[in-house]
Every structure is written in C-alpha cells, then in structure tokens.
C-alpha cells in the first residue's frame, strides 16, 4: 500500500502487541454488542408479527391476509427509508467519524422500539395505532440504514489485514444472536403466559427491553476511540468535503457500488426469509403452532451462529471469493428441497431444513461484510458502503415478507420463498465472478 497507510497503524494503535490486540478485541466487542442491540430492536417486529396483526388490525381483518399484509407494510416501509438513513449517516460518518454517530443511532432505534411497546391498540384509537406503528418503523429503518455500514466500517478499520473477517465475525453474529434471543424470549413468554396474554399485553415486554439494552450498548460504544484509519485520514487532512459527491462522480466508486448492490443479493432473502419471516411463514402458511415456528427458527439461528466464525476463519485464509461461490451454490441447490420439507408440516423435518439452509448461508454471512468494507477507501467507505448495501437490502430483502405473503395468497404455492432464494443466490454467484480478491490486503486510505 502507500506510505500513508503505514502511518495509519502507527498513528492510532499502540505499538505493544498485547495492548494492540486488546484494543482490536474491544473494537470487535463494541461492534458485536452494538449489532446485537440494534438488530434485536429491529428484528423482534418480524418475530412478533403473529401477535401484532391481532393488536394493530381491525377485528374483521386480523384473521385474514389483509391484516397480515397491513402489519408487513410496517416491515416494508422501514426498508424503503433505509437508503435515506444510509446516505445521511454515511455523509456524516465520513465527515465527522464513526464512533459518536453509531452511539446516536443505537439510542435512536432503541427509543423507537420502546415506543412501539407503549402504543395503544387498534381497538383503543383506531387507525391511528397502525399509523403510529409505521411511523416508528420509519425511525427504526433510518437508524438501521446507517448501522450496518457504519459498524462494518468501524470494526474493519480496527482489524488486522490478515484476520479482518474473524475480527468482524462478532458484528455479524450479533444480529443472529439478537434474533435467537428474541425467539427464545418470545417462546418463553408464550409458555409462561399463554397465547391470549401474549396478544393482550405480553407482546409489549420484548419491545420495552430495548431501554436497558440501549444503555449497555451506548456505554460500550462510547468507551472506545474512533478508528485508526479515520484518525489518520483526519490527521493528514484527507477528509472529503462532500463524500457523496465524491462517490457519485467517480466511475471507480460507482462500479464498486453497483457490485455492492448485486454481490449481497442473497443476503436479503437469507436473513429476512430464513430467519425473520420464517416464524410467520410456518405459523400462518404451514399452520405450525407459534412456539414450534419459533423453535424451528431457533435451530437455524444456533447453526449459523456456531458456523460464522469458522467461515470467517476460512475466508481469511482461502479468500472471500471461494466462500461466496460455495455458499451461493449451496443456497441455490438446497432452497427448494428444504422448503419442500417445510411443507410436509413435520417439526423434525422443518428443523433439519432450517439447519441445512443456515449452514449454507453461513458461508455468505460470515464473509460479505468484510468484503464490502474492503471494496472502498477510508475517506468514502461509510457513504459508498451504505449506498450499495442498503439499496441491495431494499431490492432483495426489505419487500420479501410482504411479497412472499402476497404471492403465496395469490398462487397458493407454499414453496415460493425458495424461488427468491434461488434467484438471488444465482445473482450473487455471477457477481462474485467480477469481484477482485481482497482478503489479507490493506485497506485503501483514499
């Protein structure tokens, strides 16, 4: 790399090896804890849709697809605001730094999540209830739009070149651990209080837990300095005055953003269909009991959480491309057979299908964030990373639950989600062929 990059590591990290490792570990922990809180707040909406549809829909809609579609509108609209959050936060993050902004985003989404837990029901205030729910989902979407790319940039810029994916793996695992925690929490609440109490008032508890979690997450994020790479860019007066204009006026950056849209195509269905939408799919379409649906999802989550560190370790040694290719092929081959197993309505087979899909997806999930962070230079990384990944999520992931609900209702074909997984896996596979290998290479400064 350039001489300025060598200054990066000497400038902000301690020269003592043990101390340097401790700083990197703290940065990795801050990313993981922040990711857990952020995605717990964002993900429990999807896990609780079966209850929310009864609370925020009219009584004549709550037992129909119309009520489910209305509730999933709140899910979808949060995704359409994500690019706006990503653009604004990316601009601020490249201009001012990552650390403080990430703490603010965490506080923002947690307050919105807690507010959902305090909303009156449709029976109390009519259509104002779902309207307020959608408004708060917009706030959550804005925050989430700035979170992934910001946290990814933050941890990547602390990590050593030869083990960047491993250092970033807690960040990735945090989102899945959050969903697992949410699934187990909701299952426990249903077991203790029953489904009627869940609809009456217990559904509020997971949302209100956002407040103590936010305090922990914000505390950890504010206890570590901004990244060494950004500090170097700032010290050398290389901060871009308008990072968005820099990104959008550069053919090199626009080409990389285009790849950042298509490369993680399978990430949207992989995350939002296999884990967020899955409990509702099993409950409403396959007619599993709600607690069985959550436990099937938990089996997949346990698998991917255990597998991501191994996949990250392999990618640091073998490269990003082999893991991305293998995962895309496995997802494409397994999607239809596994969804067919789900349609049989048998709990053990459903668990096996979830485990197989989670293992296949882990090769992508454990690699993609490190890959995207490595594609862009430090002075515009937050902005470019945000634009590419958020547009990809909107196109391939955000509308997935709403689209799947509508298509299944229209066609009666329960295996439709598998076709979306196959299509996006093929797109990811093709895009990977155009990717330059970045594993083990220093991050560019500008």
């Amino acid at each position: 790399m350039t001489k300025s990059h060598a200054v990066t590591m000497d400038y902000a990290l301690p020269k003592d090896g043990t101390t340097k490792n401790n700083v990197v570990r703290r940065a990795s922990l801050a990313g993981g804890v922040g990711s857990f809180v952020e995605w717990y707040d964002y993900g429990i909406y999807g896990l609780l849709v079966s209850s929310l549809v009864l609370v925020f829909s009219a009584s004549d809609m709550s037992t129909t697809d119309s009520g489910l579609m209305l509730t999933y509108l709140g899910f979808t609209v949060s995704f359409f605001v994500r690019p706006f959050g990503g653009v604004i936060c990316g601009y601020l993050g490249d201009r001012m730094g990552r650390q403080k902004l990430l703490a603010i985003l965490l506080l923002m989404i947690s307050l919105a999540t807690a507010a959902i837990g305090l909303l009156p029901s449709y029976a109390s205030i009519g259509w104002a209830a779902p309207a307020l729910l959608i408004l708060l989902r917009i706030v959550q979407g804005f925050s989430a739009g700035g979170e992934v790319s910001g946290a990814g940039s933050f941890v990547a810029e602390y990590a050593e070149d030869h083990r960047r994916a491993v250092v970033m793996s807690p960040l990735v695992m945090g989102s899945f651990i959050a969903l697992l925690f949410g699934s187990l929490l909701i299952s426990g609440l249903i077991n203790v209080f029953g489904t009627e109490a869940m609809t009456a008032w217990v559904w509020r508890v997971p949302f209100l837990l956002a407040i103590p979690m936010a305090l922990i997450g914000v505390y950890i994020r504010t206890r570590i300095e901004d990244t060494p790479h950004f500090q170097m860019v700032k010290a050398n007066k290389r901060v871009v005055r308008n990072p968005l204009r820099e990104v959008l006026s550069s053919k090199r950056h626009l080409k990389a953003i285009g790849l950042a849209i298509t490369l993680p195509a399978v990430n949207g269905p992989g995350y939002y269909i296999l884990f967020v939408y899955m409990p509702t799919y099993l409950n409403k379409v396959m007619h599993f009991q709600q607690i069985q649906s959550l436990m099937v999802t938990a089996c997949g989550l346990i698998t991917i959480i255990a597998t991501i560190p191994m996949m990250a370790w392999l990618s640091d040694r073998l490269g990003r491309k082999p893991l991305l290719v293998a995962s895309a092929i496995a997802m494409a081959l397994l999607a239809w057979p596994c969804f067919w197993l789900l349609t049989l309505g048998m709990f053990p087979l459903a668990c096996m299908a979830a485990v197989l899909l989670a293992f296949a997806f882990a090769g992508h999930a454990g690699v993609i964030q490190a890959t995207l962070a490595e594609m862009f230079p430090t002075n515009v990384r937050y902005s470019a990373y945000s634009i590419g990944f958020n547009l990809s999520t909107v196109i391939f992931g955000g509308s997935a639950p709403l689209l799947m609900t509508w298509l299944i209702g229209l066609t009666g074909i329960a295996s439709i989600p598998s076709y979306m997984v196959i299509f996006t896996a093929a797109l990811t596979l093709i895009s990977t062929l155009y990717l330059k290998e970045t594993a083990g290479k220093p991050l560019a400064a500008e």
Side-chain angles (χ1 to χ4, degrees):
M1 195 56 184
T2 63
K3 184 178 180 180
S4 64
H5 180 80
V7 175
T8 301
M9 305 313 292
D10 291 339
Y11 173 73
L13 285 179
K15 294 183 179 180
D16 175 74
T18 302
T19 305
K20 183 187 293 186
N21 289 337
N22 288 338
V23 173
V24 172
R25 278 195 292 268
R26 289 210 326 267
S28 182
L29 175 64
V33 172
S35 175
F36 172 87
V37 176
E38 185 89 17
W39 294 105
Y40 169 82
D41 290 350
Y42 197 76
I44 54 173
Y45 183 92
L47 295 174
L48 283 169
V49 160
S50 297
S51 297
L52 296 177
V53 69
L54 301 175
V55 176
F56 290 100
S57 301
S59 57
D60 59 338
M61 295 176 62
S62 60
T63 56
T64 68
D65 285 341
S66 298
L68 192 59
M69 292 282 282
L70 175 66
T71 310
Y72 267 130
L73 177 62
F75 191 93
T76 302
V77 75
S78 70
F79 278 88
F80 283 108
V81 79
R82 280 183 65 162
F84 297 100
V87 167
I88 294 172
C89 294
Y91 176 90
L92 294 174
D94 283 331
R95 288 278 294 149
M96 303 165 53
R98 290 78 160 103
Q99 183 252 5
K100 290 182 180 178
L101 181 60
L102 287 171
I104 292 171
L105 290 174
L106 193 61
L107 189 60
M108 182 188 300
I109 195 171
S110 297
L111 291 175
T113 303
I116 290 176
L118 297 173
L119 285 179
S121 66
Y122 182 94
S124 299
I125 60 172
W127 284 102
L132 288 171
L133 178 66
I134 291 172
L135 178 63
L136 291 171
R137 286 296 292 175
I138 290 173
V139 176
Q140 288 185 316
F142 182 93
S143 173
E147 166 67 21
V148 176
S149 49
S153 298
F154 182 85
V155 180
E157 291 170 8
Y158 261 106
E160 303 100 321
D161 297 333
H162 66 283
R163 56 191 301 268
R164 188 168 290 115
V166 167
V167 173
M168 292 182 72
S169 60
L171 174 72
V172 181
M173 292 164 63
S175 61
F176 294 103
I177 294 172
L179 284 178
L180 176 61
F181 176 79
S183 297
L184 296 177
L185 173 64
I186 294 165
S187 299
L189 292 172
I190 292 172
N191 272 331
V192 173
F193 297 101
T195 53
E196 290 185 8
M198 194 73 190
T199 303
W201 63 273
V202 177
W203 67 270
R204 300 180 184 276
V205 174
F207 287 99
L208 294 176
L209 279 176
I211 294 297
M213 288 185 183
L215 296 176
I216 297 171
V218 170
Y219 173 79
I220 291 176
R221 278 192 169 174
T222 53
R223 298 292 291 176
I224 189 167
E225 295 181 356
D226 219 324
T227 73
H229 285 260
F230 183 80
Q231 289 187 52
M232 181 275 291
V233 169
K234 188 175 180 180
N236 291 344
K237 298 182 180 180
R238 298 293 186 182
V239 174
V240 178
R241 184 181 296 274
N242 189 333
L244 290 177
R245 185 171 61 187
E246 176 76 15
V247 164
L248 298 177
S249 62
S250 166
K251 290 183 179 180
R252 175 171 65 98
H253 293 327
L254 287 174
K255 182 179 179 180
I257 288 173
L259 189 58
I261 294 173
T262 57
L263 186 66
V266 77
N267 194 76
Y271 186 85
Y272 294 102
I273 290 181
L274 299 187
F275 299 107
V276 178
Y277 173 62
M278 185 63 75
T280 303
Y281 172 80
L282 292 173
N283 181 233
K284 296 295 184 180
V285 180
M286 295 294 99
H287 306 295
F288 281 76
Q289 295 179 4
Q290 187 176 10
I291 191 166
Q292 286 183 317
S293 304
L294 291 168
M295 293 313 295
V296 170
T297 306
C299 288
L301 288 167
I302 291 170
T303 301
I304 198 167
I305 290 165
T307 311
I308 280 174
M310 179 183 69
M311 298 299 182
W313 181 83
L314 284 174
S315 79
D316 279 334
R317 280 148 184 80
L318 303 179
R320 313 295 184 224
K321 294 182 70 171
L323 271 293
L324 290 171
V325 167
S327 177
I329 293 174
M331 290 284 284
L333 292 177
L334 289 173
W336 191 88
C338 285
F339 271 89
W340 177 76
L341 288 176
L342 295 176
T343 64
L344 298 179
M346 299 175 64
F347 180 72
L349 292 179
C351 290
M352 183 176 73
V355 167
L356 289 173
L357 287 171
F359 186 84
F361 183 53
H364 181 90
V367 176
I368 190 62
Q369 299 304 333
T371 305
L372 293 175
E374 291 165 345
M375 287 170 59
F376 304 102
T378 300
N379 62 343
V380 295
R381 179 170 294 115
Y382 201 153
S383 297
Y385 188 170
S386 289
I387 293 170
F389 186 72
N390 279 303
L391 286 177
S392 180
T393 302
V394 169
I395 296 168
F396 301 111
S399 59
L402 184 65
L403 181 63
M404 295 302 99
T405 301
W406 178 69
L407 287 175
I408 291 172
L410 181 68
T411 64
I413 301 174
S415 59
I416 274 181
S418 67
Y419 302 133
M420 187 167 184
V421 174
I422 293 170
F423 168 72
T424 54
L427 187 56
T428 291
L429 179 61
I430 294 170
S431 300
T432 305
L433 301 179
Y434 294 92
L435 178 69
K436 292 182 179 180
E437 186 57 69
T438 55
K441 296 180 180 180
L443 296 177
E446 57 183 303

